[in-house]
Amino acid sequence: MANIRVKEAAEYLGVSKSFLDKARCYGTNGPAFMRFGKAVVYSTEALDEWARSCTVANDNAAATQAAA
């Protein structure tokens, strides 16, 4: 488990740094983070867990089955 800074965490997830900043600031659906003084770090384990939690089923398949 590695700890990485915000910029690297954004690159790791494929999202913008701004997204992570806003998720932290507003407490919205973002990955768990740690704060050491002013430094913010994310564990790669927490990032992977958050990314898995964002998985959704294919909505088109459900709609096709419902229409049949």
Side-chain angles (χ1 to χ4, degrees):
M1 172 175 73
N3 290 328
I4 55 179
R5 299 278 181 129
V6 179
K7 182 179 176 184
E8 290 81 14
E11 292 171 2
Y12 183 86
L13 289 172
V15 300
S16 68
K17 179 184 175 299
S18 175
F19 170 82
L20 292 178
D21 292 340
K22 289 175 184 174
R24 263 193 337 275
C25 182
Y26 299 121
T28 57
N29 184 29
F33 63 94
M34 297 171 280
R35 187 180 304 272
F36 299 104
K38 291 184 179 182
V40 173
V41 296
Y42 294 87
S43 73
T44 53
E45 183 178 301
L47 295 175
D48 291 337
E49 183 179 316
W50 178 79
R52 281 190 298 275
S53 76
C54 293
T55 302
V56 296
N58 185 343
D59 292 335
N60 291 334
T64 302
Q65 288 177 350

